[in-house]
Amino acid sequence: MAFQNRAGHPDPPFQSLPAPRRPRPPKMSSSSTTNNARFLMFFDFDETIISENSDDTVVNLLPNQQLPSWLLDSYREGHYHEFSGKITAYLADQGVTKDALLSAVKKIPPNPGMLDLFCFLQSHQQDFELVVVSDANTKFIETWLEHNRLGHLFRRVFTNPSHFDDSGRLVLHPFHSHSCPRCPDNMCKQAILHEYVAGREKERGGVGFQRVFYVGDGSNDVCPTRALGPQDTAFARRDYPMHKLMMEMQQSESTKIKANVVPWVTGADIEDYLGNIMKER
């Protein structure tokens, strides 16, 4: 596909964020994670947990496997969510059914080593609390996680609400509104991270997490990493926009990244790093 994906928007100057305005986010199946977990770990979904952009995958269901130029030309910078809605509407108009859409999503392979990483995290579930934060949508993420029997590992999934209407079209809704100038209009992942961490600390009786980890690949994964401290880690997929932008930021005197930045190629890179953290007990 020849269009810019949700992670491809530019990285405007950062500024502090007010509290976001949004409805209560959807919750996945309850996690077996206890309230005593020492570490909090956020995962992006597209091209992080899974190996593809899910929007690209479903577009391949079209007979010629591409979108018409009029639809591609309608994309507006910072409004990828709006563009995704046009894609799902076009797919429905072209006869792509709900079952075909979800079947394609189920077939998306995980990134290499990711399933092993989740096995590792499950074996240490008393130590890790897992969260998904993604600019995809509930139907795609729920379908993929449930198909791969991973839904129980995640305490929360923050993503754009979606539902199938009576015509079989997948209708998307924005996650929230915010005033961050560097994020797409429907989602600021830093605002989500801030609110979640503060809320969990309150629920845990004032006990925070020893470390926060963030795993991503796209430019929209940079904003939340700016909220991480020196004890935290940002796992940036090597040679993807998140990694390239963070390398540029580290070389800039005007921009400081407090967190450790660890490039990853496969889930094994992340598992190895976490394994060493576990040895520090």
Side-chain angles (χ1 to χ4, degrees), residues 6-153:
R6 63 172 61 88
H9 55 79
D11 195 38
F14 171 76
Q15 67 181 28
S16 59
L17 305 176
R21 302 178 299 280
R22 60 171 175 81
R24 189 172 183 83
K27 185 175 182 179
M28 291 288 289
S29 56
S30 59
S31 169
S32 55
T33 302
T34 71
N35 249 0
N36 300 320
R38 296 186 295 150
F39 309 126
L40 175 61
M41 196 160 186
F42 292 90
F43 283 87
D44 175 48
F45 182 67
D46 284 304
E47 298 188 280
T48 295
I49 292 178
I50 61 175
S51 61
E52 304 170 8
N53 181 321
S54 52
D55 283 335
D56 292 354
T57 299
V58 297
V59 166
N60 288 332
L61 294 171
L62 293 169
N64 59 357
Q65 299 187 339
Q66 63 182 10
L67 297 171
S69 57
W70 63 262
L71 203 163
L72 292 171
D73 292 343
S74 73
Y75 172 73
R76 295 189 300 151
E77 195 72 50
H79 296 268
Y80 186 84
H81 175 264
E82 172 188 84
F83 185 65
S84 293
K86 293 179 181 179
I87 292 174
T88 57
Y90 181 76
L91 290 169
D93 290 343
Q94 299 303 306
V96 177
T97 65
K98 169 184 174 180
D99 289 343
L101 204 67
L102 297 183
S103 177
V105 170
K106 290 177 183 178
K107 294 176 183 177
I108 300 174
N111 261 317
M114 276 293 162
L115 295 185
D116 288 338
L117 170 61
F118 288 128
C119 285
F120 169 84
L121 292 169
Q122 179 165 314
S123 70
H124 296 284
Q125 59 186 327
Q126 73 279 6
D127 291 301
F128 291 91
E129 180 167 306
L130 307 184
V131 175
V132 171
V133 56
S134 166
D135 198 13
N137 67 80
T138 53
K139 288 299 181 184
F140 285 2
I141 296 179
E142 288 175 3
T143 296
W144 195 90
L145 290 179
E146 290 170 3
H147 179 72
N148 288 276
R149 301 180 181 180
L150 294 172
H152 68 284
L153 292 180

Side-chain angles (χ1 to χ4, degrees), residues 11 25 30 36-37 67 76 123 137 173 183 188-189 214 229 239 252 266 269:
D11 195 38
S30 59
N36 300 320
L67 297 171
R76 295 189 300 151
S123 70
N137 67 80
H173 304 278
C183 287
C188 172
K189 294 186 177 184
Y214 189 98
D239 296 330
S252 170
T266 73
D269 300 321

Side-chain angles (χ1 to χ4, degrees), residues 204-279:
R204 288 157 51 102
V207 178
F209 293 93
Q210 292 179 17
R211 301 189 188 203
V212 178
F213 303 101
Y214 189 98
V215 187
D217 70 279
S219 58
N220 60 352
D221 293 311
V222 174
C223 190
T225 66
R226 296 183 180 223
L228 302 181
Q231 77 282 7
D232 304 324
T233 302
F235 293 102
R237 190 174 182 186
R238 186 180 293 277
D239 296 330
Y240 277 66
M242 179 186 180
H243 180 226
K244 293 177 181 178
L245 287 168
M246 296 192 82
M247 293 302 98
E248 293 174 5
M249 290 166 62
Q250 285 184 319
Q251 296 171 6
S252 170
E253 295 182 0
S254 60
T255 306
K256 294 182 179 180
I257 300 176
K258 296 179 181 179
N260 303 298
V261 180
V262 176
W264 65 276
V265 176
T266 73
D269 300 321
I270 301 169
E271 182 180 346
D272 288 345
Y273 187 91
L274 297 177
N276 289 329
I277 295 292
M278 295 298 294
K279 295 175 183 178

